[in-house]
């Protein structure tokens, strides 16, 4: 038995590979096949005969139902071991390139309450667990706020306590829920799109600031009055909230990027801090969700870049410019490119806040922006730092990097499989000199990986 990239255990029966969630290597179980393809099957454990010695007791009451933190059944030391193996297997099997010794993974100091952002969904359809259905449990209140159940878009698991974010997040969510129950507020029906309360987002920060965004559907004037009474209750109950915001979403989907954000109390942003640098985080901003490990990740990237103060650095997929601004003190100039215009505006603001004069930011699709003309205009980079989305880099981007011929490339990735594919494409001109995995998300299978490449 082994563990797959998706966090499921792998069993083999003859030549058939079977993926099983919520079990660990060493468990002896009866399996029921749920889905079968030519080369693999998916199953669930229906009976445990023997538990693995490499098993931990899940600490969350919602484990196995909400769909998150699947690896709570593995001790953290085992999680780290499998993530290390995942990186090494992907780079060697998919990349098929010469590799140095891969550094031991940097584990997270915090394995609970480490996230700085969570989003909760309201729904008038509370998810009942299999056990509740078997026992024919009847709830007086079928409205729920919590997490979507995987595969059931209109049903939400009522969350009492989540261990991912500071406990203030639980207290705020439960207080809003109880107030809504007591005052008979309607929760959204995700099929018919009827109901007032839709979503809430909680952001905490290393500067101890706190942002809460409540998202609702408002179609009548009296609903707005009710909604503001709820917000006033939140403001009065939690004076530690520094940014209380609300969004009116009358669309049929939950995206908020195209909607106005209103300030009910406080500021429209909070700050994250790193080595004295301050990063403004707005309601729509992207920021790495594990602040402490983000700092370790960026330190690795900066160390790999080997900056002396004379280099021109290109930061591809720069997001809100966190890495670009973080390395700017050690570089002659940094140029950040990102396809989301709002993120680039955040990046410029962050440079201004920190009095960074040597960073330029451009918005546009990476394959359209990073062209030979762009490089001829702005200069050939000495170092390229790239942190693409899970799908990896477009072939056109790889081609332009090969044309640019920077001395060093630092490739940060949240998907070692697509990273390995891209490393193979770069292998013609670049040799991998160092690999450093970093664990950002304990109790999940996700892992970040930083690779240093140097021109052959």
């Amino acid at each position: 038995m082994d563990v797959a990239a998706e966090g499921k255990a792998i069993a083999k029966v003859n030549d058939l590979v079977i993926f099983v969630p919520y079990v660990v290597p060493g468990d002896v179980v009866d399996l029921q096949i749920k889905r079968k393809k030519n080369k693999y099957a998916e199953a669930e454990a229906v009976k445990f005969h023997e538990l693995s010695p490499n098993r931990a007791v899940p600490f969350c009451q919602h484990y196995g139902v909400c769909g998150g933190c699947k690896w709570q059944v593995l001790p953290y030391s085992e999680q780290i071991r499998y993530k290390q193996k995942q990186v090494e297997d992907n780079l060697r099997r998919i990349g098929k390139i010469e590799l140095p010794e891969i550094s031991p993974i940097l584990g997270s100091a915090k394995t609970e309450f480490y996230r700085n952002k969570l989003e909760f969904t309201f729904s008038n359809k509370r998810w009942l667990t299999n056990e509740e259905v078997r026992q024919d449990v009847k709830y007086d209140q079928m409205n729920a706020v919590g997490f979507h159940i995987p595969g059931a878009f209109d049903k939400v698991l009522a969350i009492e306590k989540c261990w991912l974010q500071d406990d203030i997040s639980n207290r705020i969510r439960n207080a809003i829920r109880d107030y809504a129950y007591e005052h008979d507020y309607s929760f959204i029906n995700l099929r018919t799109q009827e109901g007032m309360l839709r979503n809430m987002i909680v952001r905490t920060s290393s500067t101890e600031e706190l942002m809460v965004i409540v998202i609702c559907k408002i179609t009548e004037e009296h609903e707005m009055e009710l909604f503001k009474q709820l917000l006033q209750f939140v403001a009065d109950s939690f004076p530690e909230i520094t940014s209380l915001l609300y969004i009116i979403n009358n669309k049929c989907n939950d995206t908020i990027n195209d909607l106005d954000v209103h300030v009910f109390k406080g500021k429209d942003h909070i700050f994250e801090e790193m080595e004295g640098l301050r990063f403004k985080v707005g309601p729509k901003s992207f920021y790495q969700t594990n602040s402490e490990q983000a700092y370790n990740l960026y330190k690795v990237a900066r160390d790999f870049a080997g900056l002396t103060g004379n280099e021109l650095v290109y930061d591809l997929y720069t997001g809100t410019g966190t890495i670009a601004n973080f390395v700017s003190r050690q570089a002659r100039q940094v140029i950040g490119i990102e396809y989301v215009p709002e993120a680039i505006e955040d990046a410029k603001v962050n440079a201004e806040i920190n009095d960074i004069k040597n960073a330029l930011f451009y918005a546009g699709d990476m394959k359209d922006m990073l062209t030979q003309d762009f490089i001829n205009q702005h200069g050939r980079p000495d170092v390229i730092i790239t942190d693409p989305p899970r799908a990896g880099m477009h072939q056109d981007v790889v081609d332009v990097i090969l044309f640019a011929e920077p001395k060093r490339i630092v490739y940060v990735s949240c998907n070692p499989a697509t990273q390995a594919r891209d490393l193979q494409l770069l292998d013609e001109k670049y040799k991998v000199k160092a690999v450093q995995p970093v664990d950002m998300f304990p109790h999940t299978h996700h892992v970040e990986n930083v690779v240093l490449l140097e021109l052959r």
Side-chain angles (χ1 to χ4, degrees):
M1 219 181 196
D2 201 351
V3 175
E6 297 80 21
K8 297 173 182 176
I10 303 172
K12 280 191 179 175
V13 177
N14 299 325
D15 291 331
L16 184 67
V17 175
I18 306 172
F19 296 101
V20 194
Y22 306 118
V23 299
V24 302
D27 285 341
V28 179
V29 297
D30 291 341
L31 298 179
Q32 183 175 10
I33 300 289
K34 292 294 186 182
R35 201 158 67 111
K36 191 171 184 297
K37 299 281 187 180
N38 287 338
K39 294 186 176 176
Y40 73 92
E42 294 182 12
E44 69 176 42
V46 291
K47 184 178 179 182
F48 283 78
H49 294 278
E50 193 179 316
L51 295 179
S52 169
N54 286 335
R55 180 176 255 276
V57 178
F59 50 81
C60 178
Q61 70 194 78
H62 305 295
Y63 174 76
V65 184
C66 93
C69 306
K70 288 186 173 73
W71 276 9
Q72 280 185 38
V73 283
L74 275 174
Y76 190 56
S77 58
E78 287 293 291
Q79 296 178 34
I80 290 291
R81 187 168 73 83
Y82 281 114
K83 289 183 184 188
Q84 180 88 20
K85 185 173 181 295
Q86 180 187 330
V87 168
E88 295 189 5
D89 287 352
N90 277 303
L91 295 190
R92 295 188 197 285
R93 186 171 47 83
I94 299 170
K96 295 184 175 67
I97 54 174
E98 187 185 344
L99 292 169
E101 186 175 344
I102 295 174
S103 300
I105 190 169
L106 288 178
S108 179
K110 282 186 184 172
T111 58
E112 298 166 2
F113 305 126
Y114 63 84
R115 283 184 70 103
N116 56 39
K117 180 187 176 189
L118 274 185
E119 180 167 352
F120 303 102
T121 301
F122 294 85
S123 171
N124 72 335
K125 289 190 175 163
R126 178 189 187 125
W127 176 262
L128 298 179
T129 65
N130 291 336
E131 195 173 324
E132 288 170 328
V133 171
R134 275 197 303 271
Q135 293 176 0
D136 198 26
V137 174
K138 296 283 191 292
Y139 285 100
D140 295 335
Q141 183 59 260
M142 286 303 288
N143 286 332
V145 56
F147 297 130
H148 276 287
I149 287 291
F153 85 93
D154 63 331
K155 291 189 171 64
V156 162
L157 178 69
I159 296 294
E160 192 59 41
K161 177 168 183 170
C162 177
W163 293 75
L164 285 172
Q165 192 176 29
D166 186 287
D167 200 51
I168 186 68
S169 175
N170 290 312
R171 298 202 302 274
I172 292 169
R173 183 196 61 251
N174 291 347
I176 290 175
R177 174 201 66 197
D178 293 345
Y179 183 93
Y181 285 174
E182 189 182 332
H183 294 84
D184 205 24
Y185 280 58
S186 59
F187 288 32
I188 195 85
N189 179 319
L190 292 163
R191 285 190 184 272
T192 65
Q193 291 295 305
E194 296 168 309
M196 183 196 295
L197 298 177
R198 293 190 69 131
N199 308 87
M200 66 174 287
I201 299 167
V202 181
R203 283 185 182 263
T204 52
S205 82
S206 55
T207 58
E208 297 189 351
E209 292 174 289
L210 177 60
M211 176 185 286
V212 176
I213 311 156
V214 187
I215 302 142
C216 65
K217 179 172 185 175
I218 300 287
T219 54
E220 296 179 30
E221 208 169 300
H222 78 277
E223 290 177 331
M224 194 66 220
E225 184 55 39
L226 282 173
F227 183 54
K228 291 203 168 173
Q229 288 172 19
L230 168 65
L231 292 170
Q232 190 60 56
F233 161 76
V234 176
D236 293 342
S237 303
F238 298 96
E240 56 267 64
I241 294 174
T242 55
S243 172
L244 180 55
L245 312 176
Y246 69 93
I247 296 172
I248 296 170
N249 179 9
N250 292 343
K251 304 179 302 169
C252 291
N253 63 59
D254 288 338
T255 57
I256 61 169
N257 288 335
D258 55 342
L259 299 172
D260 293 332
V261 181
H262 307 277
V263 177
F264 186 81
K265 175 202 163 190
K267 302 174 296 183
D268 66 352
H269 61 274
I270 56 177
F271 282 101
E272 280 287 352
E273 202 166 82
M274 206 180 279
E275 273 190 7
L277 294 172
R278 285 166 68 77
F279 297 99
K280 183 181 177 183
V281 179
K284 302 176 187 178
S285 298
F286 171 78
Y287 194 85
Q288 283 280 5
T289 50
N290 184 340
S291 300
E292 290 181 22
Q293 280 298 82
Y295 178 43
N296 289 325
L297 182 75
Y298 297 155
K299 279 196 293 187
V300 170
R302 186 175 61 191
D303 290 348
F304 278 9
L307 303 175
T308 63
N310 298 316
E311 291 84 4
L312 171 61
V313 179
Y314 280 15
D315 181 27
L316 310 185
Y317 312 92
T318 191
T320 54
T322 315
I323 292 179
N325 286 317
F326 187 70
V327 304
S328 62
R329 292 168 174 170
Q330 284 79 27
R332 172 169 56 83
Q333 186 172 50
V334 183
I335 294 174
I337 306 173
E338 165 64 42
Y339 73 96
V340 180
E342 293 84 359
I344 285 297
E345 290 312 307
D346 283 346
K348 290 175 179 175
V349 168
N350 286 329
E352 197 176 325
I353 288 167
N354 293 290
D355 198 30
I356 292 167
K357 303 281 201 296
N358 62 336
L360 298 172
F361 295 99
Y362 296 93
D365 192 302
M366 191 62 59
K367 64 180 170 44
D368 301 329
M369 289 294 297
L370 187 70
T371 60
Q372 295 185 10
D373 286 346
F374 185 94
I375 285 167
N376 292 335
Q377 182 184 344
H378 293 90
R380 199 173 282 270
D382 301 295
V383 177
I384 284 180
I385 300 173
T386 181
D387 185 3
R390 289 192 67 75
M393 296 192 293
H394 191 281
Q395 178 71 54
D396 292 354
V397 177
V398 174
D399 291 343
V400 176
I401 290 174
L402 290 170
F403 163 77
E405 286 193 343
K407 295 189 198 75
R408 283 182 296 284
I409 300 168
V410 180
Y411 190 150
V412 182
S413 172
C414 58
N415 185 345
T418 53
Q419 184 182 44
R421 178 204 66 203
D422 292 346
L423 294 179
Q424 191 178 43
L425 296 173
L426 293 164
D427 188 54
E428 173 192 341
K429 285 190 177 180
Y430 287 89
K431 184 179 176 65
V432 174
K433 300 294 286 185
V435 179
Q436 178 63 72
V438 181
D439 184 29
M440 304 290 287
F441 306 107
H443 312 304
T444 76
H445 65 277
H446 298 292
V447 61
E448 293 269 349
N449 192 43
V450 191
V451 172
L452 168 64
L453 301 103
E454 287 186 353
L455 203 56
R456 289 187 184 277

